[in-house]
Amino acid sequence: MKLFGTFHNKLQHSFAAAFALALVMPAFYACNTGKDEPKMPELPTPDIPTPEEPVPATPGHYDGLEKVTIPQGLTSQIKEYTGFTLSFNKDNRTPNYVAWELLGTEVSTEWPRKDNFWQDTDLEGCPLKTEYYYSTSGYERGHMCPAADQRWSEKAMIDCFVMANMCPQIHDLNAGAWEDLEKKEREWAKRDSAVLIIAGPIYTDGDRYIEKSQIRVPDAFFKILLAPYIEEPRGIAFVYPHMKCPGNMQDYATSIDEVEMITGFDFFSELPDEIEDKVESTFSFADWNK
């Protein structure tokens, strides 16, 4: 009975407290708001974009632009190095092509050049660095992917001196028009954020080889360039005969389609068809040289 009495008293107190609170709360709100009921503050409506709003278009990134399709039956060993990819031809002992992407941010770096030519024994037919016999051949080890494009990394600088990246070139071309074009490429990469470059030798019916080494001497050289990430992508190509090339750079400019006809290679097949058709069929040296 004592326990029940205690519980009965607590229950009475609870009802009394609840009744008092019910009487006091309206008066409390009336004093604070002047109204019978409290009002929640209004929150700003968030600005949520609707699906109908247009999204600004930006140039896309295209994978596989360094991929080149070569004629069936042409000898090729593909190898990726730091900074570039090449297709090596053991019959000619020179590359079929060398492909790389040059970023504008890579141009201003200054990793020192080291002329440490080396043989890649993974590639059948890759020459020794001594096989050019400079004293008798009259040719230099001409970089397809130049060392100045690989200053962004010590490993890239080392790799670009692999003999698989070299073609025999006479000095007047290697240190003349070919080098001038390499300098332009770096200017264009800085301006356009990135440039895709593919370079290689061109062989005609004539067969010239460096004495003793059987390294085939090219009759000409090609280089193609693509600026894929600008608002309107553009392309251009150059063909230099293997000689001292006088005159202006634009004298050797041509379309990528023209180089495809000469070499039998297919470039930039990973681009959307409408972009590939445009950048390969047309070129403007004036637009590139702005």
Side-chain angles (χ1 to χ4, degrees):
M1 294 297 292
K2 183 178 181 179
L3 180 61
F4 177 79
T6 302
F7 177 76
H8 183 264
N9 291 335
K10 288 184 176 180
L11 188 61
Q12 283 184 324
H13 288 307
S14 298
F15 278 120
F19 183 76
L21 184 62
L23 293 175
V24 171
M25 289 302 292
F28 174 81
Y29 286 125
C31 292
N32 284 275
T33 65
K35 297 182 180 179
D36 292 339
E37 296 181 357
K39 183 178 180 181
M40 297 296 292
E42 294 184 1
L43 298 176
T45 303
D47 185 14
I48 302 174
T50 62
E52 291 76 17
E53 291 181 357
V55 178
T58 56
H61 180 82
Y62 306 107
D63 294 324
L65 293 182
E66 296 178 13
K67 177 184 176 183
V68 179
T69 303
I70 62 176
Q72 187 174 6
L74 183 64
T75 302
S76 174
Q77 301 171 76
I78 302 292
K79 184 159 184 182
E80 294 185 5
Y81 295 91
T82 303
F84 62 96
T85 300
L86 62 77
S87 164
F88 186 74
N89 189 314
K90 65 181 178 63
D91 299 328
N92 297 330
R93 305 193 72 189
T94 60
N96 292 316
Y97 67 83
V98 182
W100 67 102
E101 181 182 58
L102 181 61
L103 303 179
T105 55
E106 296 171 344
V107 173
S108 58
T109 54
E110 293 292 338
W111 195 271
R113 173 179 172 134
K114 296 182 179 179
D115 291 3
N116 295 328
F117 295 90
W118 59 284
Q119 180 192 41
D120 188 344
T121 55
D122 290 341
L123 297 176
E124 183 181 356
C126 184
L128 294 164
K129 67 178 183 179
T130 56
E131 284 194 81
Y132 272 55
Y133 303 106
Y134 290 109
S135 59
T136 58
S137 73
Y139 296 105
E140 297 180 350
R141 293 167 287 203
H143 286 73
M144 294 296 97
C145 177
D149 286 7
Q150 303 299 311
R151 289 179 174 174
W152 53 275
S153 159
E154 179 182 16
K155 185 65 166 61
M157 177 61 69
I158 292 171
D159 280 5
C160 79
F161 279 89
V162 65
M163 290 297 294
N165 184 37
M166 308 298 156
C167 287
Q169 278 187 333
I170 62 171
H171 175 77
D172 285 345
L173 178 61
N174 189 28
W178 192 253
E179 184 178 19
D180 292 341
L181 178 55
E182 291 172 344
K183 293 176 181 178
K184 275 293 183 185
E185 293 159 13
R186 290 187 281 277
E187 293 179 13
W188 295 336
K190 289 177 68 176
R191 180 193 63 197
D192 296 334
S193 78
V195 175
L196 264 294
I197 308 170
I198 305 176
I202 296 173
Y203 298 104
T204 60
D205 294 335
D207 290 336
R208 289 186 295 160
Y209 294 87
I210 292 180
E211 186 181 359
K212 300 178 184 179
S213 68
Q214 291 302 296
I215 299 174
R216 194 174 182 185
V217 178
D219 298 297
F221 296 89
F222 74 86
K223 184 166 284 187
I224 65 174
L225 297 97
L226 172 70
Y229 306 131
I230 59 177
E231 186 174 355
E232 294 187 13
R234 61 171 173 265
I236 196 170
F238 296 86
V239 175
Y240 287 97
H242 197 177
M243 57 179 284
K244 183 177 181 179
C245 294
N248 298 318
M249 189 177 296
Q250 60 262 38
D251 297 336
Y252 303 92
T254 187
S255 69
I256 297 173
D257 277 346
E258 183 67 24
V259 174
E260 289 184 328
M261 291 179 60
I262 295 171
T263 61
F265 298 168
D266 181 19
F267 305 106
F268 307 134
S269 59
E270 298 301 312
L271 284 173
D273 289 342
E274 65 276 11
I275 297 178
E276 182 184 4
D277 292 343
K278 180 179 179 180
V279 300
E280 292 188 355
S281 62
T282 62
F283 71 96
S284 170
F285 183 80
D287 286 346
W288 278 89
N289 203 40
K290 286 180 180 178

